[in-house]
Amino acid sequence: MRRRILLVRHCQSRANAEGRIEGRGDSGLSEEGERQAKRVAAFIAAQGLTEVTLIASSQARAIATAGAIGAACGWTHVSDHRIREGELGWMEDLSYTEVGRHMREKQATELDAHLHGGESLETVGERFSEALAEAMAASDGTLVLVSHGYAIQALLRRLAPGAELPRFIGNGDVVELWLEAGALAEPPKHYPLSAPAA
């Protein structure tokens, strides 16, 4: 049976607004993040979904985003720590500018454990995949998972190694997946929050 999965990146956190990278950090939503949460909630509500399981990571920025979605759709959410953001080692709390500088110096095209010393994309993808499999086994309807940029990228790479994936998943963006027998049934669709409504 084909299953629809919506992966939502949390809306702008205070650390995002300040230009700082945040993995295990736990800042809440900024004022802009709260506005974004209302917009992504309206997008999800417009999908007309029924029989939905809404799951948020255990971090404040994802919980607040899921809360806005739940309020707009009449759902309650549960939390699962396995879909939390990856731990980014010594890069935690650095400015995006500093992270970019280090990546250029190392000629790195992606952020991964070899660069920051924290959790690898593979490790994060594995724990996220376990959470997704359990959620799919526990319900028959659509799953809406509110997570984080690095974590969503990790899951996508695990599900579709070598496939063309969104290069950047912004705050409040949605990635739609259709899974069948645990594998992608079609390429992921990326819905950037910043894109004008169709």
Side-chain angles (χ1 to χ4, degrees):
M1 177 177 83
R2 280 167 55 104
R3 298 287 299 277
R4 188 182 189 193
I5 316 295
L6 297 179
L7 304 173
V8 182
R9 184 181 173 201
H10 67 83
C11 295
Q12 187 188 73
S13 69
R14 290 191 298 274
N16 293 148
E18 293 164 4
R20 295 183 291 110
I21 196 167
E22 182 176 47
R24 68 179 175 270
D26 203 23
S27 71
L29 295 183
S30 67
E31 288 183 14
E32 175 59 20
E34 290 172 4
R35 288 189 289 272
Q36 289 175 346
K38 290 178 182 171
R39 288 172 47 214
V40 74
F43 174 83
I44 300 287
Q47 304 301 304
L49 303 172
T50 57
E51 296 184 55
V52 172
T53 301
L54 175 61
I55 305 171
S57 92
S58 53
Q59 291 173 286
R61 54 201 186 269
I63 291 169
T65 302
I69 293 169
C73 299
W75 308 329
T76 57
H77 72 271
V78 296
S79 290
D80 191 321
H81 71 279
R82 293 171 296 179
I83 69 170
R84 72 189 182 278
E85 185 60 297
E87 294 186 12
L88 302 174
W90 64 268
M91 286 190 167
E92 286 282 345
D93 212 38
L94 283 184
S95 71
Y96 296 139
T97 302
E98 281 294 296
V99 171
R101 184 177 65 77
H102 286 293
M103 290 181 72
R104 285 189 302 278
E105 285 175 359
K106 300 289 186 184
Q107 298 180 342
T109 57
E110 67 180 12
L111 199 58
D112 205 347
H114 70 278
L115 192 63
H116 55 65
E119 281 186 293
S120 68
L121 285 162
E122 183 178 354
T123 298
V124 175
E126 184 176 330
R127 64 171 159 78
F128 201 140
S129 183
E130 287 172 2
L132 177 59
E134 276 186 28
M136 289 177 68
S139 67
D140 292 326
T142 300
L143 299 176
V144 178
L145 294 99
V146 183
S147 186
H148 307 263
Y150 187 78
I152 291 171
Q153 288 284 1
L155 177 67
L156 293 175
R157 287 165 190 250
R158 185 177 177 88
L159 290 172
E164 187 173 333
L165 300 172
R167 189 79 183 116
F168 176 75
I169 299 168
N171 293 124
D173 287 4
V174 177
V175 178
E176 179 183 39
L177 307 178
W178 286 93
L179 298 184
E180 189 166 18
L184 282 176
E186 57 187 71
K189 292 182 185 167
H190 181 207
Y191 299 95
L193 182 64
S194 59

